[in-house]
Amino acid sequence: MSTEQRSTAPGPRRSFRRTLAAMIAVLVVLCTGLAVLTLGQGPRLVRSDIDTESVVQLTQQRLLMHSNEPLAEIDVEQVSVTPSIPLKVATDGSTLSITFEQRLLYGTDYVVSVSGVTSPFQEAGSTFDYSFTTGSPPLYYLQKGGPDAAAGADDAIVRTTVSGAARDVVYSAPRIQDFAVVGSSLAIVTETDDGMSQLVLVAPGQSAVETLPLPTRGTITQLGSSVKQAMLGFRFTSADPAAGYSNTLLLFDLLAKHTSFTLPGTVIGEPLEVDQWRFIPDSTLIETTAGGVMSIYDSALQQGAVIGDYDGLGEVAPTGTQSVISGQGTFHMLDLLSGQVSPLTPILPEGATAVGPPLLGPDGSTTVSVVNVAGVDGVMRQVVVRSDTSGATVVFDTASADARIVSVTQSPNTQYLAIAVQPRPGAEIATSLVDRSSGAAVRTLAGLRVTWP
């Protein structure tokens, strides 16, 4: 009995071993096949990250493309972006970083393709493809008399977008003089019954209104804001000359206590009195002119440097590193990093004369200018021209000798121009939103002071 049991017991064990060996063989084959397949595929894109709102408002924004394995170094020539945009690339482990050196276009479909993506451990390459649609941030404008234009209606700050007819009244009050966007809030200057200025801070969508304290009764002009620093600035003149404020530059740091402070002058340390001033976007610097002398101040260090005898301030270029200034009837380019000044001579239509300093394009190679031109009948009228090395192109024409272009500003990404026009003396001002490249009119707003965040 015991002999028969010993002879039959190994059977099931042999069967199990054979089954196990067969399974291992199959797994080895499968793993080998998967390894060969993986080695032949190259890295795979598993996730991409981008802030579609920030890319249209700020420069140096990034698209991060994450791979399933470490990446070999990728050159900028391997990256294609449509529509095209200047960019830089860097690899860090399994992440490819694409930095856009300019702001992207609003509401636009972008397609990114990266070819020849490999791993340091194998030569098989692959292509990373990703697409995204940029945001369309709001814009704000001042409508005198309110959105219904009823007799005696309050003025209103209106929020809308470039395309579409939707609009939202953010704040309304009698006699709104000016406003500025600072962070997620609006700073608004109104005129009181006695002709003085009042400065309030309003958060869209909230009912609370904060009144910012002024050093004394007085008037505000040239209100401006800094995106980078969350600061407000304006010229302030006190009602009582003995109070000592005469076109004095006052600043509010909204990240600290909501109280004003001044910048000292470069000579005797007294509060800085200015003819013109402006924040330099994405910087701690402030440009000023006073008595025909231009200076740059660092608001953080409260130190300044004199640039020279220039009496006019134009806009800062979208790159934030150049500014247009003027002196003795000529225009110049100021390098904000080195302080060097070079001539700037926009190409204009034959016989045209410039009205004010030009606006610079995204790379400094194009300008937009308001000019006076004569029609075939010899009557002068105002037009807006875009100029580059190939010549000048009219992108907006008032088509009337009575019309006056009040102001021209451009969106932060330079995609659109906001051209405020008074069709005849005493008439209400309207603003046309115009595509900077094509000159196509996108929308007309019944107001002025169009401002993008």
Side-chain angles (χ1 to χ4, degrees), residues 238 240-246 248 271 273:
S238 54
D240 181 3
Y245 295 92
S246 176
T248 303
E273 297 181 2

Side-chain angles (χ1 to χ4, degrees), residues 104-348:
L104 304 191
L105 301 177
Y106 300 144
T108 301
D109 295 328
Y110 279 84
V111 177
V112 179
S113 182
V114 186
S115 61
V117 181
T118 61
S119 166
F121 311 115
Q122 50 101 359
E123 296 182 355
S126 60
T127 299
F128 285 2
D129 291 317
Y130 181 69
S131 61
F132 62 93
T133 302
T134 55
S136 295
L139 59 86
Y140 299 84
Y141 66 96
L142 170 61
Q143 185 160 359
K144 304 298 288 184
D148 299 325
D154 288 346
D155 300 333
I157 306 298
V158 182
R159 178 174 54 191
T160 186
T161 57
V162 172
S163 58
R167 63 184 182 181
D168 174 35
V169 176
V170 176
Y171 183 77
S172 61
R175 300 183 297 277
I176 294 177
Q177 303 298 304
D178 203 355
F179 75 98
V181 180
V182 53
S184 59
S185 300
L186 297 179
I188 303 170
V189 178
T190 60
E191 184 183 71
T192 61
D193 292 337
D194 61 355
M196 297 294 100
S197 294
Q198 178 176 267
L199 180 62
V200 298
L201 198 62
V202 178
Q206 300 182 15
S207 58
V209 176
E210 178 186 358
T211 300
L212 296 178
L214 299 175
T216 184
R217 294 174 64 252
T219 54
I220 290 173
T221 55
Q222 295 186 16
L223 178 69
S225 63
S226 168
V227 175
K228 180 181 179 65
Q229 300 169 270
M231 291 180 64
L232 287 174
F234 51 86
R235 294 195 314 174
F236 183 73
T237 299
S238 54
D240 181 3
Y245 295 92
S246 176
N247 291 325
T248 303
L249 178 60
L250 291 186
L251 302 176
F252 274 88
D253 184 349
L254 298 180
L255 295 179
K257 293 181 179 179
H258 289 188
T259 55
S260 61
F261 64 93
T262 64
L263 290 178
T266 55
V267 181
I268 57 176
E270 294 182 350
L272 187 64
E273 297 181 2
V274 299
D275 300 323
Q276 301 173 71
W277 80 277
R278 72 176 68 253
F279 284 114
I280 297 174
D282 305 329
S283 176
T284 60
L285 300 179
I286 297 172
E287 286 182 297
T288 69
T289 60
V293 178
M294 187 200 158
S295 302
I296 293 183
Y297 287 82
D298 188 312
S299 59
L301 302 176
Q302 294 207 4
Q303 295 178 347
V306 174
I307 299 300
D309 294 334
Y310 301 98
D311 54 17
L313 296 180
E315 296 293 334
V316 178
T319 59
T321 60
Q322 297 171 313
S323 178
V324 178
I325 60 177
S326 60
Q328 299 181 349
T330 59
F331 303 126
H332 308 269
M333 186 91 75
L334 168 65
D335 188 309
L336 297 168
L337 301 179
S338 67
Q340 293 183 341
V341 177
S342 56
L344 175 63
T345 307
I347 298 175
L348 304 179

Side-chain angles (χ1 to χ4, degrees), residues 102 317-319 322 333 344 359-367 387 436:
Q102 297 176 4
T319 59
Q322 297 171 313
M333 186 91 75
L344 175 63
L359 301 175
L360 295 174
D363 57 1
S365 64
T366 61
T367 59
S387 306
R436 189 182 189 275

Side-chain angles (χ1 to χ4, degrees), residues 27-37:
L27 289 174
V28 169
V29 171
L30 289 174
C31 290
T32 302
L34 288 173
V36 172
L37 183 61

